[in-house]
Amino acid sequence: MCSGNTSINSLVKAKVIECYSSQGYEVVHQPHIQQLPFDLNGYIPNLLVKISTEQGFIVEVRDVAINLAVSYYRDIAKSVAEHVGWRFLLITGEDATPIAEEDIADNKLTRSQILHRKERIAKLISIGEHEAAFLSLWIFAEILMRRHARHLLIPIDRLPTILMIHHLYTQLAISTDQFERAITLNEIRNRVAHGFPVKSINLNDAIERLLNLVDEFITMQV
């Protein structure tokens, strides 16, 4: 009889396999070392997702997002990144982002894309929609943090927000000051998103602090 964790992990794997297979990708479950496109120093992934013979994903699947050996997986991600057309993915049963929406190229945000988002947020602020502006700005901050993690080959960009922020900090991808501000602003985001009251003066201050943090994250993307 399977243990509870094994059953959960099997369900997560089955969902991942279904998502990629439905998009026409070849999915190899528990590939043999001979099936891997290149040597990974003895590491065998849970799944090999092949877009083509020269392009795809090396996938590790975990049932929960806690107690992850992020430094170990980051080393694997670096090894995989040495081979053009391949990316390492760490997928958990608690991921905040959808399965099978990865882009191998993952190009940086363009200046026009950044300006367009900031203009939309500025419009919300100008018409007094401060809660909507804060939530929209927070979503943008999350996007930037997740992209920052991917570009540094830290495979945490799918994790729940609070865990991602903590791992960015422990992996030295953000400063102590940025970490503390992100944690505080995430708490405000949770209050706003769940309908708890936030004084307008406090929310205006939070928007200003979040704008500064977003600008810092944008600078990291350049």
Side-chain angles (χ1 to χ4, degrees), residues 153-166:
L153 301 175
I154 311 173
I156 57 171
D157 51 296
R158 310 174 63 93
L159 296 184
T161 304
I162 194 68
L163 289 178
M164 177 190 64
I165 294 171
H166 276 277

Side-chain angles (χ1 to χ4, degrees), residues 14-76:
K15 184 177 179 181
V16 176
I17 291 170
E18 180 184 359
C19 283
Y20 284 112
S21 296
S22 67
Q23 293 197 14
Y25 299 155
E26 178 185 352
V27 183
V28 183
H29 181 224
Q30 297 298 141
H32 298 296
I33 195 166
Q34 296 88 350
Q35 294 176 293
L36 297 177
F38 41 80
D39 178 40
L40 287 169
N41 298 316
Y43 168 72
I44 304 294
N46 296 129
L47 303 173
L48 172 64
V49 178
K50 299 172 70 175
I51 298 173
S52 69
T53 57
E54 299 179 349
Q55 193 176 43
F57 303 106
I58 305 294
V59 185
E60 179 76 15
V61 182
R62 300 285 88 189
D63 52 347
V64 294
I66 59 173
N67 298 323
L68 297 173
V70 172
S71 294
Y72 171 67
Y73 292 131
R74 187 179 188 183
D75 288 340
I76 295 171

